[in-house]
Coordinates of all heavy atoms in Angstrom, one line a residue:
V30 N 87.1 -7.7 -16.1 CA 87.5 -8.1 -14.9 C 87.4 -9.7 -14.8 O 88.3 -10.4 -14.3 CB 86.8 -7.5 -13.6 CG1 87.1 -8.2 -12.4 CG2 87.2 -6.0 -13.7
T31 N 86.3 -10.2 -15.3 CA 86.2 -11.7 -15.4 C 87.2 -12.3 -16.3 O 87.8 -13.3 -15.8 CB 84.7 -12.0 -15.9 OG1 83.8 -11.4 -15.1 CG2 84.5 -13.6 -15.9
S32 N 87.6 -11.8 -17.3 CA 88.6 -12.3 -18.2 C 90.0 -12.3 -17.5 O 90.8 -13.1 -17.6 CB 88.7 -11.7 -19.5 OG 89.2 -10.3 -19.4
L33 N 90.2 -11.2 -16.7 CA 91.5 -11.2 -16.0 C 91.5 -12.3 -14.9 O 92.5 -13.0 -14.8 CB 91.6 -9.9 -15.3 CG 91.9 -8.6 -16.1 CD1 92.1 -7.4 -15.3 CD2 93.3 -8.8 -16.8
F34 N 90.5 -12.5 -14.2 CA 90.5 -13.6 -13.2 C 90.5 -14.9 -13.9 O 91.2 -15.8 -13.4 CB 89.2 -13.5 -12.4 CG 89.2 -12.3 -11.3 CD1 88.2 -11.4 -11.3 CD2 90.2 -12.4 -10.4 CE1 88.3 -10.5 -10.3 CE2 90.3 -11.4 -9.4 CZ 89.3 -10.4 -9.4
A35 N 89.8 -15.2 -15.0 CA 89.9 -16.4 -15.7 C 91.3 -16.7 -16.2 O 91.7 -17.9 -16.2 CB 89.0 -16.4 -16.8
A36 N 92.0 -15.7 -16.5 CA 93.4 -15.9 -17.0 C 94.4 -16.1 -16.0 O 95.4 -16.8 -16.2 CB 93.8 -14.8 -18.0
R37 N 94.3 -15.5 -14.8 CA 95.2 -15.6 -13.8 C 95.0 -16.4 -12.6 O 95.9 -16.7 -11.8 CB 95.5 -14.0 -13.4 CG 95.9 -13.2 -14.5 CD 97.1 -13.5 -15.1 NE 98.3 -13.9 -14.3 CZ 99.3 -14.5 -14.6 NH1 99.4 -15.0 -15.9 NH2 100.3 -14.7 -13.8
V38 N 93.8 -16.7 -12.1 CA 93.5 -17.4 -10.9 C 93.4 -18.9 -11.4 O 92.8 -19.3 -12.3 CB 92.0 -17.0 -10.4 CG1 91.7 -17.9 -9.2 CG2 92.2 -15.5 -10.0
P39 N 94.1 -19.8 -10.6 CA 94.2 -21.2 -10.9 C 92.8 -21.8 -10.9 O 92.0 -21.3 -10.0 CB 95.2 -21.8 -9.9 CG 95.7 -20.6 -9.2 CD 95.0 -19.4 -9.5
A40 N 92.6 -22.9 -11.6 CA 91.3 -23.5 -11.7 C 90.9 -24.1 -10.3 O 89.8 -24.2 -9.8 CB 91.2 -24.6 -12.7
A41 N 92.0 -24.7 -9.5 CA 91.6 -25.2 -8.2 C 91.9 -24.2 -7.0 O 92.3 -24.7 -5.9 CB 92.6 -26.4 -8.1
A42 N 91.7 -23.0 -7.2 CA 91.8 -22.0 -6.2 C 90.9 -22.2 -5.1 O 89.7 -22.5 -5.3 CB 91.8 -20.6 -6.9
P43 N 91.2 -22.0 -3.9 CA 90.2 -22.0 -2.8 C 89.2 -21.0 -2.9 O 89.4 -19.9 -3.4 CB 91.1 -21.9 -1.6 CG 92.4 -21.2 -2.0 CD 92.6 -21.6 -3.4

Side-chain angles (χ1 to χ4, degrees):
V30 171
T31 303
S32 69
L33 287 178
F34 283 123
R37 301 304 305 163
V38 175

